[in-house]
């Protein structure tokens, strides 16, 4: 695919706990044949290091990303075999990056996980880093923006900011796993949330068992 033909999904990873959600969404996009532009915030690198032991480095991002996406939600390495060839990485501090402009071709943006600070920044239209700037651009261009909020409990100010995002056209999607799909492993619960994010974006996947109107269907899987 040439650069002119490429029209990626922008994936922003903020500093909230929940890096396995981001990994599952990224694998789902790549498995669906989608191109990805990745923005990993500075705070999310600390979370990633804490949750996985992986240091995400700009100079070695491809190797670090491959190691991250290969890891299961239970921490086991080499659980998956990701192909990261369709990923382009942009440094979080690069406000001259492609996704900072509305003329840059993109399908939309997925923020997974989204911290309350990220929710506030996007709702207020701030552009303190590329993640927030790309989200603001996504909204102004009327492209799909999915914000997977990962925090509990939620304060009144955060709830108001989530309503503001909804009114601006974003899909506010709390990282709340469902249990009707017959989850038997932590990866199943992570994949359920990731699958709902991809559902909101309109990206096909097979990350979880869908409800088919039959009680107990998931438990018989």
């Amino acid at each position: 695919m040439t650069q002119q033909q490429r029209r990626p999904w922008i994936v922003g990873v903020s500093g909230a706990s929940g890096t396995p959600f981001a990994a599952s969404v990224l694998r789902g996009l790549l498995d669906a044949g989608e191109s990805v532009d990745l923005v990993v915030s500075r705070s999310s690198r600390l979370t990633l290091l804490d949750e996985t032991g992986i240091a995400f480095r700009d100079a070695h991002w491809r190797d670090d990303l491959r190691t991250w996406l290969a890891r299961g939600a239970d921490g086991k390495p080499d659980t998956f075999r990701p192909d990261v060839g369709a990923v382009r990485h942009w440094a979080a501090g690069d406000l001259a990056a492609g996704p900072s402009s509305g003329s840059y071709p993109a399908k939309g943006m997925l923020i997974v996980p989204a911290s309350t600070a990220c929710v506030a920044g996007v709702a207020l239209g701030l552009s303190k880093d590329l993640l927030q700037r790309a989200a603001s651009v996504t909204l102004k261009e009327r492209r799909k923006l999915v914000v997977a909020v990962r925090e509990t409990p939620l304060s009144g100010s955060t709830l108001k900011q989530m309503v503001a995002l909804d009114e601006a056209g974003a899909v506010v999607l709390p990282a709340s796993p469902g249990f009707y799909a017959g989850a038997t492993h932590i990866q199943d619960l992570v994949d359920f949330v990731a699958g709902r994010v991809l559902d909101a974006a309109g990206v096909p996947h097979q990350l979880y068992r869908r409800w088919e109107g039959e009680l107990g269907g998931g438990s018989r899987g």
Side-chain angles (χ1 to χ4, degrees):
M1 180 182 295
T2 67
Q3 186 59 36
Q4 287 185 336
Q5 294 174 321
R6 188 176 184 273
R7 191 162 172 257
W9 283 98
I10 302 167
V11 176
V13 185
S14 82
S17 176
T19 55
F21 294 130
S24 183
V25 166
L26 287 165
R27 287 192 298 264
L29 288 169
L30 296 174
D31 287 346
E34 299 286 348
S35 296
V36 173
D37 275 20
L38 179 63
V39 181
V40 181
S41 75
R42 290 191 176 99
S43 58
S44 71
R45 297 174 193 227
L46 297 176
T47 307
L48 180 64
L49 182 63
D50 183 55
E51 294 185 344
T52 69
I54 297 170
F56 192 91
R57 304 158 295 175
D58 287 339
H60 305 280
W61 71 267
R62 195 174 294 277
D63 290 338
D64 296 339
L65 177 63
R66 188 178 293 109
T67 300
W68 176 25
L69 298 192
R71 183 179 296 261
D74 58 1
K76 292 181 180 179
D78 302 320
T79 300
F80 302 97
R81 296 184 179 276
D83 180 357
V84 300
V87 179
R88 182 173 185 178
H89 168 256
W90 299 95
D94 185 5
L95 290 178
S100 68
S101 172
S103 66
Y104 184 78
K107 291 184 176 180
M109 183 173 184
L110 315 175
I111 305 178
V112 189
S115 65
T116 54
C118 175
V119 168
V122 177
L124 294 173
L126 304 182
S127 296
K128 75 169 188 177
D129 61 10
L130 180 59
L131 194 158
Q132 291 186 6
R133 172 59 185 169
S136 294
V137 167
T138 301
L139 286 176
K140 80 179 184 67
E141 296 295 325
R142 302 296 192 268
R143 296 169 184 159
K144 179 74 73 175
L145 175 64
V146 182
V147 182
V149 184
R150 217 306 306 161
E151 186 58 89
T152 190
L154 295 168
S155 68
S157 60
T158 298
L159 290 169
K160 292 175 183 176
Q161 290 153 1
M162 290 166 63
V163 170
L165 287 177
D166 177 78
E167 291 175 343
V171 175
V172 179
L173 194 152
S176 303
F179 293 82
Y180 60 80
T184 58
H185 192 277
I186 187 174
Q187 189 67 56
D188 298 328
L189 298 176
V190 168
D191 286 346
F192 180 90
V193 173
R196 296 298 289 151
V197 171
L198 295 179
D199 285 345
V203 176
H205 65 86
Q206 295 182 338
L207 286 175
Y208 69 89
R209 182 195 301 272
R210 297 185 181 279
W211 176 252
E212 296 180 349
E214 181 182 358
L215 292 175
S219 63
R220 293 195 292 272

